[in-house]
Amino acid sequence: MRILIHGGFFSESSQSDEIKQKKQEALKDIIKRGYDFLINHNALKTVVYTTTLLEDCPLFNAGIGSQIQSDGKLRMSASIMDGSSSLFSGVINIENVKNPVLIAEKLLQEDDRVLSGSGAQTFARKKGFKPFSAETLERRNEYNQKLKTSKTGTVGCVVLDSKGELAAATSTGGKGFEIPGRVSDSATIAGNYANKHCAVSCTGVGEDIISGAIACKIVTRVTDQYTLEAAFKKTFQELDTISGFAGAIGLDSKGNMICQESHPKVVYATYDGESVSLFE
Ligand code: ASP
């Protein structure tokens, strides 16, 4: 069993040592809760559960605490991918829900598995998800001051369960101050991808992640016999040719784990049932 999470880049807005420490504490708590859940649940259920915990923490740019777009509205994107069935589902730019990843989970059972905007919201209401404002005062203040700081801060989770099944989930409030209608990588196969061999979740500048097809490329390379390390290395070398800004976490079916980023520093955590390891 393996579980690995990320909480986006530390270079996020309002970064300070205090915030950094709070994020580390939050990651430690969440990774332990995710691991405990994994003991009795499969990889897919665990990535969803763990991502809801990350979405509920206002320190991260996903769910509660998501960044606000240029028109003053908060829109979120999230996706999941079940490695054993190779099915992907997601929501793009959904408003007024608490946990976008739960809507993505519901969509996994549908024929139409990626929904955007008002269509995603209508689907969520039909499935009983109550209206919820994920806005925090801090993000509104940032917006009001037009603190266009970084373009990072998403959350993600990859899991290998006791049966050897893999899954990935990624959730974001976007890059902040974006043009309404802009599509984040987080609900695409560039930002979140898994199959029987490998699971990857990304953070960073969505446009770069999409241009580099990061998650999908890494998983495909592992499927085609690259080691996890070599697949990350080659994919990040290619990202370098476009000066891309991205970070990613990955797990393969043998339990190998990796975190890599083009720029410092993404926050990652893993837990083996005894001790939490934090990386940045
Ligand atoms: N990748 C996300 C996006 O571009 C942002 C992030 O990772 O923080 O929407």
Side-chain angles (χ1 to χ4, degrees), residues 115-130:
L115 294 182
S116 69
S118 59
Q121 202 171 313
T122 304
F123 174 82
R125 297 288 174 262
K126 272 193 192 144
K127 294 291 173 187
F129 291 93
K130 303 247 164 3

Side-chain angles (χ1 to χ4, degrees), residues 61 151-154 172 174-175 182 184-186 203-206 209:
N61 174 28
K151 301 173 173 169
T152 53
T154 294
T172 189
K175 60 181 185 180
R182 181 247 180 195
S184 159
D185 64 290
S186 300
T203 181
V205 177
I209 295 167

Side-chain angles (χ1 to χ4, degrees), residues 4-8 23 26-28 30-31 33 47-65 98-99 101 153-158 169-171 249 267 269:
L4 185 56
I5 56 176
H6 73 74
K23 281 188 173 181
L27 285 183
K28 276 190 199 164
I30 290 170
I31 193 75
R33 289 165 68 191
V47 291
V48 172
Y49 170 75
T50 310
T51 304
T52 63
L53 299 180
L54 290 159
E55 287 177 339
D56 288 345
C57 178
L59 294 168
F60 302 109
N61 174 28
I64 297 170
K98 182 162 170 280
N99 293 108
V101 75
T154 294
V155 301
C157 178
V158 289
T170 308
S171 182
I249 54 176
V267 272

